[in-house]
Amino acid sequence: MPTARQIILVLGDQLSPSMTSLRAGDPSKDVVLIAEVQEEARYVRHHKKKIAFLFAAMRHFAEELRALGWRVVYRTFNETGSSGSLVAEVSRLAHETHPERIVLTEPSEWRLRNDMQTWSEILGRPVILLQDHRFICSIDAFGRWARGRKRLRMEYFYREMRRKTGLLMSGDKPEGGKWNYDRDNRKRAPSDLLFPGPCRVEPDAVTRDVIELVEDRFPDHFGDVEPFWFSVTREGAEAALARFVSDALPQFGTYQDAMLRGERFLFHSVLSPYINCGLLDPLHVCRQVEAAYRRGRVPINAAEGFIRQIIGWREYVRGVYWLNMPDYRSGNHFGHNRALPSFYWTGVTKMECLRAAITQTKEDAYAHHIQRLMVTGNFAPLAGVSPQAIHEWYLAVYADAYEWVELPNTLGMSQFSDGGILASKPYVASGAYINRMSDYCSGCRYNVRSRTGDEACPFNVLYWDFLARHRGKLARNPRMAQMYRTMDRLPSAEISRIRARAAELLSVVDKL
Ligand code: FAD
Ligand code: DLZ
Ligand code: SF4
């Protein structure tokens, strides 16, 4: 193999020709390495569809780079073998091409970045990490923003990102006069609305090969690989974006928190897998959304709500992650240690909301935010599940899951295991919330209006039990005051009955 000045390693979630690593390179002198390896594919038992999506996208990206004139060495999973690792693949290629150095854009996850500290020594060459410019706020800039603040709050960070990007700004004022239009975004969805659904793409020959590989080599992983419908090219991801902007975005805000039994996607974009792996640039996505608003195609509550998710929440959770790792991962504010109920892996439960969310997760490697937060997420702290156990589940089961974004959403937002670094209160709720925002309860074997007795909705029973169990840690939180006031109006005999029922439920939690 001809020598190379440098090896540019491109990771599976860096599939963009404008990565800093590629911009710093020279196609006539450097070689690009992309590798499917056991170590990355098995550090958690990723959903089969997630692996197929990423391997197919990586293979198509190699072709895209070749068409741009790059020399690309692509190692398939069968070539890298059962002990394959990224560093072993870099080392193999370095022996063949004798590069002066290895260059890559910084990995998105702490695990891999930490591992890379030993790489220079192993490889006998400098390993240069470049900043990831896909994010609007660098890790250092977030650190500067956070320093000296008593509490971090997404809303203030988001305003800075609006000013920095100019998105939905009118001079130095927010477009329409308000920074946040969330008040307009809490509607329950009628089931006769027409939902466009995401783009569905037939797998081509490259993707078919990958699907076969995944069926063959990952039979023990969670989830269904087929039907496979994700786009796996930049062109396909752009088509998905265009369709979202024209067909779903106008209603995105209004029904953002709604859930329906027969409808998995509602008006959500289903763009996170593409954004997180590099097929779509987050700022480009936001600019398309803003343009649709400026052309009068989309109301402000939809455009603002969507842009906030990306330049607000997405950037904010990444900042919190890097500011607090590695300790963040072991947070357990409530001291929860129950194993994850087995129905998280099967979807077999009488609780209709959980059955629906987990079944669609198994089939599509996707659930929307409110399903993740208020159904599968909500149940875990109510039942006292170990935050690390539920974190591993979330990291494995979604096509968009990488630790930098999943961990703060799970441990911080959903489980409150960080004690309030990311969010100001735990997102826990009784069945009443799920009933208000969905049609799940009408098809459920439990009764959402009861909190005691055999038929009582487990979310109700466990919600009051959770509040009682953690009163010492939560009662002084002003945002929990209303919940405790409501609880204190319940007769004490009722609380005792609820708590006794909670103990019964938790003793058979796998069978609920
Ligand atoms: P839309 O509802 O259409 O939102 C648009 C975009 O905004 C998303 O594509 C995403 O890029 C961004 N976004 C929205 N909310 C968030 C958020 N809270 N944090 C970061 N970005 C956000 N998101 C992931 O990308 N990967 C994960 O592994 C992940 N794990 C989560 C775990 C839990 C427990 C919770 C509560 C949320 C998690 N999220 C995660 C955030 C959010 O649920 C998903 O980004 C969203 O559901 C993706 O679907 P969508 O593209 O249809 O989103
Ligand atoms: C998620 C994933 C999977 C399943 N497989 C690979 C792989 O074989 N090769 C690779 O380069 N990347 C993969 N990835 C994405 C990486 O896990 C991701 O780039 C790192 O976690 C970022 O730190
Ligand atoms: Fe879920 Fe309770 Fe409603 Fe059943 S009754 S769907 S368990 S919230």
Side-chain angles (χ1 to χ4, degrees):
M1 175 153 329
T3 57
R5 185 188 58 159
Q6 51 189 25
I7 293 176
I8 301 176
L9 175 64
V10 173
L11 302 173
D13 60 350
Q14 300 184 340
L15 308 182
S16 162
S18 50
M19 292 307 300
T20 43
S21 53
L22 291 164
R23 283 203 177 155
D26 180 342
S28 68
K29 296 189 180 133
D30 304 332
V31 62
V32 173
L33 173 64
I34 305 178
E36 298 167 6
V37 291
Q38 171 89 3
E39 204 173 72
E40 291 307 304
R42 291 204 202 271
Y43 71 89
V44 288
R45 280 156 41 112
H46 303 285
H47 195 299
K48 290 193 192 108
K49 224 180 213 104
K50 174 181 179 185
I51 301 175
F53 165 65
L54 220 60
F55 284 8
M58 287 161 66
R59 290 183 187 195
H60 283 92
F61 183 59
E63 287 313 313
E64 186 184 344
L65 286 183
R66 285 184 185 122
L68 291 171
W70 287 97
R71 177 155 60 114
V72 180
V73 170
Y74 192 96
R75 306 272 195 224
T76 65
F77 197 73
N78 285 334
E79 288 164 341
T80 61
S82 55
S83 59
S85 68
L86 289 168
V87 68
E89 289 312 311
V90 176
S91 174
R92 179 146 76 109
L93 188 60
H95 278 113
E96 295 167 10
T97 59
H98 312 287
E100 290 162 23
R101 66 185 87 89
I102 317 300
V103 176
L104 74 155
T105 298
E106 57 193 1
S108 64
E109 298 188 335
W110 186 90
R111 167 189 63 83
L112 193 53
R113 198 178 300 185
N114 188 48
D115 189 48
M116 279 180 185
Q117 289 182 7
T118 58
W119 280 26
S120 274
E121 207 181 316
I122 296 171
L123 298 166
R125 304 171 159 77
V127 175
I128 316 287
L129 298 190
L130 304 172
Q131 257 190 37
D132 192 339
H133 285 175
R134 288 175 296 176
F135 291 94
I136 296 152
C137 185
S138 72
I139 293 168
D140 287 347
F142 189 88
R144 285 194 295 278
W145 175 80
R147 207 169 300 132
R149 280 170 200 266
K150 231 167 97 199
R151 301 213 75 107
L152 304 184
R153 286 297 162 253
M154 195 289 292
E155 188 61 33
Y156 299 116
F157 170 77
Y158 164 58
R159 291 177 192 180
E160 301 229 348
M161 294 302 105
R162 288 273 292 279
R163 290 193 188 96
K164 180 167 182 196
T165 57
L167 281 162
L168 292 182
M169 294 299 290
S170 138
D172 60 354
K173 297 272 182 310
E175 182 70 23
K178 283 201 293 182
W179 290 103
N180 182 317
Y181 289 82
D182 232 6
R183 263 172 181 277
D184 306 338
N185 291 356
R186 296 277 176 268
K187 292 212 172 58
R188 189 187 157 106
S191 54
D192 57 352
L193 272 177
L194 211 58
F195 298 101
C199 271
R200 290 177 177 268
V201 176
E202 272 297 306
D204 63 5
V206 173
T207 306
R208 283 251 138 260
D209 278 353
V210 168
I211 290 172
E212 242 174 66
L213 169 89
V214 171
E215 298 275 29
D216 183 40
R217 303 296 297 275
F218 300 91
D220 53 334
H221 284 223
F222 173 76
D224 304 342
V225 70
E226 299 216 69
F228 187 90
W229 50 268
F230 286 120
S231 301
V232 294
T233 61
R234 192 167 320 286
E235 215 187 348
E238 285 289 347
L241 169 62
R243 178 181 165 118
F244 165 68
V245 171
S246 70
D247 297 356
L249 177 63
Q251 312 260 46
F252 170 84
T254 311
Y255 300 113
Q256 201 181 336
D257 288 1
M259 298 175 278
L260 284 178
R261 234 179 310 154
E263 177 48 55
R264 297 179 172 191
F265 308 101
L266 291 99
F267 298 106
H268 291 274
S269 67
V270 198
L271 294 178
S272 51
Y274 309 132
I275 298 174
N276 292 353
C277 79
L279 290 184
L280 284 178
D281 178 70
L283 198 52
H284 163 70
V285 170
C286 292
R287 299 248 182 257
Q288 297 293 105
V289 168
E290 181 183 37
Y293 164 74
R294 302 252 179 234
R295 285 197 304 269
R297 304 260 166 84
V298 169
I300 184 78
N301 68 311
E304 187 282 315
F306 186 86
I307 285 173
R308 175 161 23 93
Q309 305 312 312
I310 296 198
I311 68 168
W313 279 112
R314 187 170 185 274
E315 296 280 331
Y316 178 73
V317 300
R318 178 189 187 239
V320 168
Y321 175 78
W322 282 103
L323 197 61
N324 295 287
M325 280 298 278
D327 298 346
Y328 201 74
R329 211 172 29 194
S330 48
N332 194 349
H333 185 62
F334 296 120
H336 287 159
N337 54 19
R338 183 177 303 280
L340 191 68
S342 55
F343 54 72
Y344 274 80
W345 297 111
T346 61
V348 179
T349 164
K350 296 185 280 294
M351 292 178 280
E352 179 56 23
C353 51
L354 278 160
R355 189 205 61 74
I358 295 166
T359 303
Q360 86 172 60
T361 299
K362 187 163 162 283
E363 291 175 4
D364 286 325
Y366 177 84
H368 68 69
H369 186 66
I370 295 302
Q371 293 175 305
R372 297 188 205 195
L373 187 63
M374 300 312 293
V375 178
T376 44
N378 186 12
F379 188 80
L382 298 187
V385 171
S386 145
Q388 283 67 39
I390 187 80
H391 148 59
E392 279 216 4
W393 184 81
Y394 277 108
L395 186 55
V397 303
Y398 291 115
D400 60 21
Y402 301 89
E403 196 187 67
W404 67 266
V405 52
E406 175 279 326
L407 187 72
N409 268 298
T410 303
L411 252 71
M413 189 188 299
S414 148
Q415 308 295 302
F416 204 69
S417 316
D418 64 1
I421 294 175
L422 184 129
S424 52
K425 72 166 180 64
Y427 278 88
V428 287
S430 69
Y433 174 86
I434 295 173
N435 193 32
R436 190 162 62 248
M437 296 315 300
S438 78
D439 64 355
Y440 292 142
C441 303
S442 60
C444 185
R445 122 113 176 65
Y446 293 104
N447 182 351
V448 73
R449 305 205 192 282
S450 310
R451 51 182 171 239
T452 52
D454 289 356
E455 300 295 305
C457 164
F459 280 84
N460 291 347
V461 179
L462 298 175
Y463 169 75
W464 295 109
D465 185 62
F466 172 89
L467 289 185
R469 260 183 0 244
H470 297 301
R471 185 167 205 131
K473 288 202 160 119
L474 293 174
R476 280 193 303 278
N477 181 333
R479 297 203 60 203
M480 300 296 290
Q482 180 57 42
M483 296 182 189
Y484 280 101
R485 271 198 297 277
T486 309
M487 185 173 176
D488 289 341
R489 284 199 291 270
L490 296 179
S492 63
E494 169 113 2
I495 299 281
S496 303
R497 277 202 298 280
I498 291 172
R499 301 213 60 189
R501 180 67 187 147
E504 276 168 26
L505 291 182
L506 291 177
S507 70
V508 291
V509 71
D510 284 343
K511 299 204 169 63
L512 292 181

